[in-house]
Every structure is written in structure tokens, then in C-alpha cells.
Amino acid sequence: GESVGLHLPTLSVQEGDNSIINCAYSNSASDYFIWYKQESGKGPQFIIDIRSNMDKRQGQRVTVLLNKTVKHLSLQIAATQPGDSAVYFCAENLSTYGNNRLAFGKGNQVVVIP
Amino acid sequence: NAGVTQTPKFQVLKTGQSMTLQCAQDMNHNSMYWYRQDPGMGLRLIYYSASEGTTDKGEVPNGYNVSRLNKREFSLRLESAAPSQTSVYFCASSEALNEQFFGPGTRLTVL
């Protein structure tokens, strides 16, 4: 399949270690944020979301942190596995465009080393 | 539930040809979207439909038209394909301010 990861920032991580992927968002009025995972040749898959009234949200092996002061979002993956190798996108809801539109970052490639 | 389905999966066109990309969702979502994705870039919104009967331009609408045929279906049309429209096209759907669910994509090459 096509490589959506071409020219993207790449994080190489040893299997079993924790991964941290960072994202800066643009609009201080954004009130909803999502992380997506995209494997080669597939569509983006929802991982976890967070609303602006929260600083932290945990899922299964994943944690999203939101720092509204510096407009920063991060995704932490615990005990990274080979199946976590993918491109990860953050997305913000741009309230100025209306409730349903998301703006996506360019993505970060994660490569898990067995 | 099949979620979001797209047809075709692959397509090769010659410059100037037209085609329609089909998208359907079975989750009863009000909102549907069309994105394009180019290597090294994120997803860019072409058009979206907040609800049945409405459509609006996104970030990169030029060269495309859409039709929200009913609540389930949202099609994307290229009237006169250009090499710059070579891309992977994704359809998505969502309910209000919640995550968007994506289809598997259509890989389009325009020669």
C-alpha cells in the first residue's frame, strides 16, 4: 500500500518500552481532540479522544494529555507492541468552523523494534 | 455493521475523465465527510455534509463536487480529473461532536 508516513517525523521505540507522541494544535478555542492510528493501506482508526474540560484521559494502554496553556496534546502508549507500528494523527475540532469539522496534523510515524 | 464502505478501492483515470467515488455508512450518522490524503501529509477536508440535504466546502474543494444522496450515502465526483488529484480518498461519518469513523479509502491515480 502507499506510504502515508513518507517524510514524517519518526519515533523508533523498543518493544515493551513506552511511547510518547506529541502534537501542537493551532486554535485556542478548540474544544475536542482526537488521536487516530493509521496502518499502511488502511483508513484512520480512532484511538482516544479528550474534551477541553479535561487534562488527562486514559484508555487501554493509552493516555492522552491536554495542556491548553501551551496548546499541546500528547499520546502515551504503554508497553509498545509491534502492532502499534503505524502513523498517528492528532485532530482538533475547530469551533470556528462549526461543530463537526476536524483539522488533522501531519502525523507521526511510530516504528516498533522487536 | 459494515461501518463506512467505499467503492471502488482502486481506480486509474486519464486526464479529463470523470468518475464518482461512492461512500455509504450504516451507523445512522448525520454527518459525512470526504478527505484526501497525500504522502507525508495529514488528511485534508474536501467537502462535508453536516446533515442530510446540506453540503459545504472544506479546505480543498476545487475540482470536486459532492452529493448527499440520502442519510446513508455521500458521493464525491471528479468532473474532469487532473494528475494533481492523484491521491487516496477517505470518506468518514460522525454523530455530532464525536469521533469520525473512516472507510478503507479509494486509491486514485490520474495519468
Side-chain angles (χ1 to χ4, degrees):
Chain A
E2 289 189 23
S3 172
V4 299
L6 196 64
H7 305 312
L8 292 177
T10 300
L11 172 68
S12 296
V13 59
Q14 203 73 36
E15 181 179 357
D17 287 351
N18 297 335
S19 303
I20 299 176
I21 307 162
N22 296 304
C23 176
Y25 63 91
S26 60
N27 188 347
S28 57
S30 293
D31 53 9
Y32 179 57
F33 305 87
I34 307 177
W35 280 100
Y36 282 92
K37 172 186 179 183
Q38 187 176 25
E39 296 173 276
S40 183
K42 297 184 179 179
Q45 180 183 11
F46 171 82
I47 302 173
I48 192 167
D49 59 3
I50 188 168
R51 299 191 189 275
S52 58
N53 60 351
M54 302 174 71
D55 297 322
K56 178 180 180 178
R57 189 159 188 235
Q58 289 184 293
Q60 187 177 10
R61 281 201 309 117
V62 294
T63 301
V64 56
L65 298 176
L66 175 63
N67 184 330
K68 295 180 284 293
T69 302
V70 295
K71 294 188 288 185
H72 184 267
L73 197 65
S74 68
L75 177 71
Q76 300 177 0
I77 305 173
T80 311
Q81 302 170 359
D84 295 327
S85 291
V87 177
Y88 291 81
F89 294 98
C90 65
E92 62 180 304
N93 171 268
L94 296 180
S95 299
T96 54
Y97 288 114
N99 285 336
N100 293 345
R101 286 184 60 172
L102 295 175
F104 287 81
K106 289 186 168 47
N108 288 269
Q109 177 115 47
V110 172
V111 177
V112 181
I113 303 165
Chain B
N1 286 351
V4 179
T5 57
Q6 293 182 235
T7 56
K9 285 186 167 52
F10 300 92
Q11 185 70 51
V12 179
L13 294 176
K14 294 181 179 178
T15 297
Q17 287 185 314
S18 62
M19 80 159 294
T20 300
L21 282 64
Q22 307 287 352
C23 174
Q25 52 93 9
D26 62 2
M27 296 173 281
N28 203 35
H29 287 163
N30 280 312
S31 301
M32 297 186 73
Y33 315 80
W34 275 105
Y35 293 90
R36 61 176 290 172
Q37 185 175 41
D38 300 295
M41 301 185 71
L43 293 138
R44 292 185 292 170
L45 184 65
I46 304 171
Y47 270 94
Y48 69 105
S49 172
S51 61
E52 186 179 356
T54 69
T55 60
D56 287 285
K57 294 179 180 179
E59 184 185 352
V60 287
N62 291 345
Y64 305 94
N65 285 301
V66 290
S67 295
R68 184 73 183 267
L69 304 169
N70 47 56
K71 192 171 186 180
R72 288 189 64 248
E73 299 172 288
F74 188 38
S75 63
L76 178 72
R77 182 159 179 84
L78 286 70
E79 289 291 351
S80 180
S84 61
Q85 294 179 304
T86 293
S87 190
V88 182
Y89 291 86
F90 289 101
C91 176
S93 71
S94 75
E95 190 54 46
L97 191 54
N98 288 303
E99 74 267 26
Q100 295 180 14
F101 293 84
F102 284 82
T106 294
R107 284 146 186 83
L108 175 67
T109 300
V110 183
L111 302 175

